[in-house]
Amino acid sequence: MSGIEETSNVSSEFQEERSEEEVEEEIGYEDPFRYVFYRDRKEWADLEPVPQDDGPNPVVKIAYSDKFTDVYDYFRALLKNDEKSDRALLLTAEAIELNAANYTVWHYRRVLLQALEKDLREEMRYITAIIEDQPKNYQVWHHRRMVVEWLNDPSEELEFIAEILSQDAKNYHAWQHRQWVIKEYKLWDSELEYVEQLLEEDVRNNSAWNQRHYIISHTTGYSDPAILNREVQYSLKQIKKAPHNESVWNYLKGILQDLGLSSHPGLLEQILELKETHCSPYLLGFLVDIYEDFLENTLEHHEEVLSKALELCELLAREKDTIRREYWSYVGRSLQTKYGSSDSSTTTSAPGSDSGSKPLSH
Amino acid sequence: MLDKHADYIAAYGSKKDDYEYTLSEYLRMSGIYWGLTVMDLMGQLTRMNQQEISDFIKSCQHDCGGVSASIGHDPHVLYTLSAVQILSLYDNVNVLDVDKVVEYVRGLQQEDGSFAGDKWGEIDTRFSFCAVATLALLGRLDAINMDKAVEFVLSCMNFDGGFGCRPGSESHAGQIYCCTGFLSIAGQLHQVNADLLGWWLCERQLPSGGLNGRPEKLPDVCYSWWVLASLKIIGRIHWIDKSKLRSFILACQDEETGGFADRPGDMVDPFHTLFGVAGLSLLGEGQIKDVNPVLCMPEDVLERLGLHPDLLS
C-alpha cells in the first residue's frame, strides 16, 4: 500500500547517492573538511550509539555503509534519550540527506523545531532545497505544508511550486500542495492563466487539465452558458493542435456530461467537421457518446442515429482502437439493447446478450 | 519461472542488495507483506520464518495501538494495515493488541470523514482504504463513522469518473484502487459510475500492452495491479486486452535473478514482484493462487476469515 510512488523514491535516492569510491577518495586526501564519523566526534562522546535492531532474531544480517550506520546509530540514541537540542536538529538533517523517505526522522525534526522554537523561515529555506533535490517524496511535501501552516505564510508557494513543475509538470505531490495552498489561502486569481501557460507548453499535461477543472469549479463554475461555451471552444481549439490527446477529450466530456453532450448547440456539427481533418479514436468515441446522449434525450431519428453509433462502435472495435475492442463491443450491444427495435439490423449484437439491458450510465 | 521468483523473495535482504534493503527500512512492514503475500500466492509461504516475523510485528506496536514500519519508527496506518495483513496470512492477529489497533484507527478519522495517516495529519484516500481494510480483517468495521467516511471518499470522485488523494486531486490509478476497494468494503460500489470509470481505466492500456497510471505516463507493472484490480472490482476486467497485458507483465521478469521490475530491463524489487504475480493471478494464470482484488491477499485466506467484499458484475 505504501509503495505508490515510493519505490521511485528508493531508486531516485540511489542515483543521488555518491559512490563509495568518491567518499573514500575524499577521506584519503586528509582534507581538513573531510567527513568525521559521529563516533569520532568529541562533542558527541556523551551519547551511546544504538545499533540497528531488526528484532529478536534478525531475519537477515545486514551490511550497511559506514556513514549511514554511524548517523542512524546516533539518531536512534537521540530518540531513545528524547534529546531536544541543536545538535539533534543538525543530525536529523544528516539523516534526511541519507534517506529522505524516513518518516520517523521527519517527525522528530518537527518535534525539535517546535521544542527549540527554531526560525521557521530558515526551515523554509531548508525544505525548499530538499524538495528541489528530491521532489517525488510524500514526507518532504508534508513537511513543507506544516511549515507554511505554522508560519501562516503562503507567499512563496505558488512561485516555488511552479519552479518544481517546470522540472516535471506532472509531479503529483506538487499539484496536491498547489491545490491546498490555493484553496486554503484563496489564491485563485491568477491560476487559470498559469494553467493556460502550462497547456501551451504541453497540451497533453493531464495534471494541468485537472487543475483547469479544479479552478473553474471553485470559482465561476460551469453553469453559466458563456463560461461553458468558452471552455468547449477552448477544448476544440486544443484538439485541433493535437488531436490524439486523451486529456482534452476527457475534459470535454466531463464538463458537458451533466447537461448532456447532445444539448450543446452546434457541438455535433463542429465535431463532424473536425472528423474530416483531425480524426482520432477519441473523436470517434466522443461521437458515440453524443449519439448516445441524443438517443437518451430525443424521440426522433432514433434508427438513423443508432445506426451511426453502431457503425462507429464497429469501426473502433475492428480497426481504430482494437486494444479496447471489448469495450466498444459492449457499448454497441448496450445501445442496441436499449434503443434498437426488434427488426433493426446490427452487426455488433452478441448472441443471447439481451437478457439484461446494460444501459450506459452518465 | 515461479520457482525463481520464490527464490528471489526468500533470499531478499540476505544478499548484497543490502544498501537498498537498509534504505527501505522505513517501509519494512509493507516490504514483508509484499514478500509474504507473493510467496503465499505461489504456494511457498512456509519458506518464510513465521515466528521471527510475528515477534518483529509485536515489537512494532506502539502504546497508541498503531504499528510502525520497523522498530524505532513511528506508527502509521499504512504499516498498521500491512501488519494486520501479514498476521491474517498466519491466522494469528492476536499477536497484536487488537482492541488498541481498532482504537488507533478510529482515532485517525477526521470530522469530514477522511483519515489521517498518523498524528501529523496528512490526509489521503489511501488512508481511508487502509483504515477500512484493517478493520474489515479484524471484523471491527463498526468502530468508525462509515457514512462520513463514504461521504469523504465520494467527494474525491472527479469529472472523469476517477478518484484522487483529496477532493480535486487528479485521478490516479493507485488512488482509484484505494477508493474502489474502500467502496467495496463499505458496500457502496453502486455509487461508482462503472462505465465511465471502466473506460478511464481501460484507456490506461498502451500499445505495448502495459498499463500506465494516468494519461500520457509510462507503463509500470504495478499498474497491472492497481488498474486491473479496480476493473475487477467494478466488473469490467474484460475491457483490457488480456493477452497483451500478460505479455507485458512477463517481459518485466528478470530471468536471471527472478523477480519483476517496473518495466522490462529495469531492476527487480519485491514490490513489483508482488504486483506482477498478483496481476497474472487476476488474468487467470493457473499456477498462481486466486488473489482477492480488494485486499490483495490470497482468496483462501479471506475465505477462512469469512470476508467477501462486494464486486460489481
Side-chain angles (χ1 to χ4, degrees):
Chain A
M1 250 9 299
S2 61
I4 302 171
E5 304 251 26
E6 289 203 344
T7 45
S8 57
N9 278 346
V10 178
S11 48
S12 73
E13 278 155 17
F14 256 31
Q15 286 151 27
E16 250 66 82
E17 220 31 66
R18 280 155 53 221
S19 68
E20 301 279 73
E21 297 82 68
E22 284 176 66
V23 174
E24 280 168 50
E25 211 188 335
E26 207 172 289
I27 290 172
Y29 276 84
E30 307 259 13
D31 188 312
F33 296 116
R34 74 175 171 89
Y35 183 79
V36 179
F37 290 112
Y38 282 84
R39 60 179 182 253
D40 298 326
R41 300 187 198 187
K42 278 200 327 289
E43 58 284 10
W44 286 82
D46 61 300
L47 266 187
E48 186 67 44
V50 177
Q52 174 55 29
D53 177 6
D54 283 312
N57 302 295
V59 181
V60 299
K61 188 174 172 324
I62 299 168
Y64 298 68
S65 90
D66 277 353
K67 180 172 174 177
F68 193 97
T69 312
D70 182 57
V71 168
Y72 274 89
D73 283 352
Y74 278 84
F75 175 68
R76 281 182 280 269
L78 291 171
L79 272 187
K80 190 169 171 196
N81 296 348
D82 198 25
E83 180 175 317
K84 309 252 171 44
S85 65
D86 279 319
R87 70 174 184 177
L89 189 67
L90 285 172
L91 188 84
T92 60
E94 291 244 33
I96 284 164
E97 196 185 327
L98 290 167
N99 191 357
N102 190 318
Y103 63 102
T104 298
V105 180
W106 283 108
H107 290 182
Y108 200 63
R109 189 175 175 90
R110 281 193 286 276
V111 165
L112 290 170
L113 287 171
Q114 293 191 303
L116 303 172
E117 295 178 351
K118 299 309 279 186
D119 177 359
L120 294 177
R121 299 266 163 217
E122 209 180 299
E123 189 64 7
M124 275 298 280
R125 285 192 284 278
Y126 171 73
I127 193 61
T128 295
I130 299 288
I131 293 176
E132 300 217 322
D133 202 40
Q134 304 191 55
K136 293 200 180 175
N137 161 319
Y138 287 103
Q139 287 73 32
V140 302
W141 286 98
H142 185 65
H143 189 77
R144 188 184 180 97
R145 173 169 161 162
M146 300 240 54
V147 177
V148 169
E149 278 181 339
W150 287 342
L151 283 170
N152 198 31
D153 177 10
S155 60
E156 292 177 29
E157 297 317 281
L158 294 184
E159 195 181 317
F160 170 71
I161 302 164
E163 155 66 31
I164 297 295
L165 289 174
S166 72
Q167 292 159 39
D168 174 0
K170 301 177 190 180
N171 182 324
Y172 199 74
H173 306 285
W175 281 109
Q176 298 321 301
H177 189 73
R178 197 171 180 91
Q179 286 191 343
W180 169 72
V181 167
I182 288 175
K183 185 153 197 245
E184 185 73 11
Y185 298 99
K186 307 190 183 0
L187 301 173
W188 306 96
D189 289 348
S190 47
E191 190 65 0
L192 192 57
E193 196 186 308
Y194 175 67
V195 165
E196 289 209 5
Q197 180 200 316
L198 287 184
L199 289 174
E200 275 299 300
E201 290 165 24
D202 177 8
V203 72
R204 292 192 176 84
N205 184 338
N206 194 66
S207 308
W209 283 103
N210 183 71
Q211 188 76 342
R212 192 177 183 93
H213 192 273
Y214 183 74
I215 299 303
I216 295 176
S217 310
H218 282 89
T219 51
T220 56
Y222 289 89
S223 47
D224 177 353
I227 303 265
L228 184 60
N229 194 47
R230 179 195 78 196
E231 291 303 300
V232 170
Q233 298 314 318
Y234 178 80
S235 303
L236 293 174
K237 188 166 145 214
Q238 305 316 314
I239 286 166
K240 282 203 191 86
K241 274 201 230 165
H244 291 261
N245 179 357
E246 234 181 291
S247 306
V248 65
W249 289 104
N250 284 342
Y251 180 76
L252 189 55
K253 180 168 166 178
I255 61 178
L256 287 170
Q257 62 197 353
D258 285 343
L259 284 176
L261 271 62
S262 64
S263 69
H264 197 81
L267 180 63
L268 177 60
E269 288 69 24
Q270 285 185 287
I271 299 289
L272 288 171
E273 224 179 274
L274 271 178
K275 183 165 175 280
E276 299 310 304
T277 49
H278 298 82
C279 199
S280 70
Y282 306 109
L283 185 146
L284 299 175
F286 191 80
L287 263 179
V288 172
D289 289 332
I290 296 182
Y291 291 143
E292 199 262 346
D293 189 67
F294 183 88
L295 289 166
E296 183 148 330
N297 293 299
T298 346
L299 293 171
E300 306 154 348
H301 308 297
H302 261 215
E303 252 183 69
E304 193 193 320
V305 173
L306 177 63
S307 145
K308 284 191 191 160
L310 292 178
E311 210 179 293
L312 285 170
C313 289
E314 161 112 15
L315 179 63
L316 284 157
R318 199 175 18 90
E319 193 186 313
K320 298 291 183 186
D321 195 20
T322 57
I323 205 168
R324 275 167 281 276
R325 62 189 168 282
E326 288 298 329
Y327 173 75
W328 295 117
S329 303
Y330 168 80
V331 173
R333 283 198 308 276
S334 306
L335 290 173
Q336 175 60 32
T337 304
K338 196 168 183 192
Y339 302 108
S341 59
S342 51
D343 54 273
S344 73
S345 67
T346 169
T347 45
T348 54
S349 66
S353 67
D354 294 339
S355 49
S357 96
K358 282 186 183 181
L360 294 177
S361 41
H362 272 299
Chain B
M1 281 282 316
L2 284 180
D3 284 340
K4 256 223 127 82
H5 299 316
D7 290 344
Y8 165 70
I9 296 291
Y12 183 74
S14 64
K15 296 192 310 196
K16 281 185 321 329
D17 310 331
D18 293 338
Y19 198 50
E20 178 194 313
Y21 187 79
T22 310
L23 279 187
S24 57
E25 184 190 292
Y26 72 93
L27 52 68
R28 181 66 61 239
M29 196 59 72
S30 294
I32 295 174
Y33 153 72
W34 300 329
L36 292 188
T37 302
V38 73
M39 289 300 264
D40 197 358
L41 287 174
M42 298 188 290
Q44 309 232 12
L45 183 60
T46 50
R47 287 172 71 174
M48 310 305 279
N49 193 317
Q50 177 174 354
Q51 189 57 53
E52 283 174 15
I53 290 166
S54 299
D55 291 341
F56 172 72
I57 292 176
K58 198 183 174 84
S59 47
C60 287
Q61 184 169 30
H62 291 241
D63 290 338
C64 61
V67 181
S68 54
S70 185
I71 296 167
H73 286 253
D74 291 331
H76 196 286
V77 77
L78 291 168
Y79 309 113
T80 304
L81 171 61
S82 293
V84 170
Q85 284 172 306
I86 294 164
L87 293 174
S88 297
L89 292 180
Y90 286 134
D91 196 15
N92 64 348
V93 288
N94 292 304
V95 161
L96 292 170
D97 181 334
V98 169
D99 287 336
K100 290 236 83 175
V101 171
V102 173
E103 212 178 289
Y104 175 72
V105 171
R106 187 215 307 265
L108 293 173
Q109 187 167 27
Q110 310 297 301
E111 266 184 55
D112 63 358
S114 66
F115 284 84
D118 63 13
K119 69 184 186 198
W120 291 96
E122 187 192 352
I123 303 293
D124 190 322
T125 47
R126 287 182 298 148
F127 308 146
S128 300
F129 173 77
C130 291
V132 300
T134 302
L135 295 176
L137 288 167
L138 299 175
R140 303 285 295 272
L141 280 172
D142 52 301
I144 52 163
N145 185 334
M146 189 58 91
D147 288 343
K148 269 286 181 188
V150 170
E151 199 184 298
F152 176 76
V153 169
L154 292 178
S155 74
C156 298
M157 193 188 297
N158 294 319
F159 63 88
D160 50 20
F163 294 83
C165 73
R166 290 189 281 279
S169 302
E170 188 185 358
S171 297
H172 180 293
Q175 310 292 152
I176 289 169
Y177 164 76
C178 292
C179 292
T180 52
F182 170 94
L183 290 169
S184 160
I185 293 171
Q188 297 287 317
L189 275 174
H190 55 277
Q191 309 256 24
V192 169
N193 187 333
D195 281 344
L196 184 61
L197 178 56
W199 162 241
W200 190 95
L201 287 168
C202 75
E203 272 202 301
R204 295 308 106 237
Q205 190 161 31
L206 297 167
S208 66
L211 306 178
N212 63 19
R214 311 178 256 169
E216 297 293 319
K217 300 281 275 176
L218 293 175
D220 182 326
V221 103
C222 67
Y223 292 115
S224 307
W225 175 259
W226 312 126
V227 173
L228 211 59
S230 302
L231 280 168
K232 180 81 182 177
I233 293 169
I234 64 173
R236 277 132 176 90
I237 195 172
H238 51 289
W239 287 0
I240 287 288
D241 182 322
K242 291 187 179 178
S243 72
K244 281 197 143 197
L245 176 59
R246 185 173 177 275
S247 302
F248 176 83
I249 297 175
L250 293 175
C252 294
Q253 295 173 116
D254 185 321
E255 300 193 353
E256 277 179 41
T257 60
F260 289 71
D262 59 351
R263 56 188 73 92
D266 281 355
M267 270 191 61
V268 304
D269 60 53
F271 173 79
H272 290 98
T273 302
L274 169 61
F275 295 122
V277 170
L280 288 172
S281 170
L282 282 181
L283 291 175
E285 193 71 31
Q287 298 182 300
I288 304 170
K289 280 200 212 172
D290 286 342
V291 70
N292 179 271
V294 173
L295 287 160
C296 194
M297 294 167 66
E299 283 285 10
D300 57 14
V301 173
L302 298 192
E303 194 61 51
R304 186 196 352 110
L305 292 170
L307 269 180
H308 302 104
D310 295 344
L311 301 180
L312 292 179
S313 53

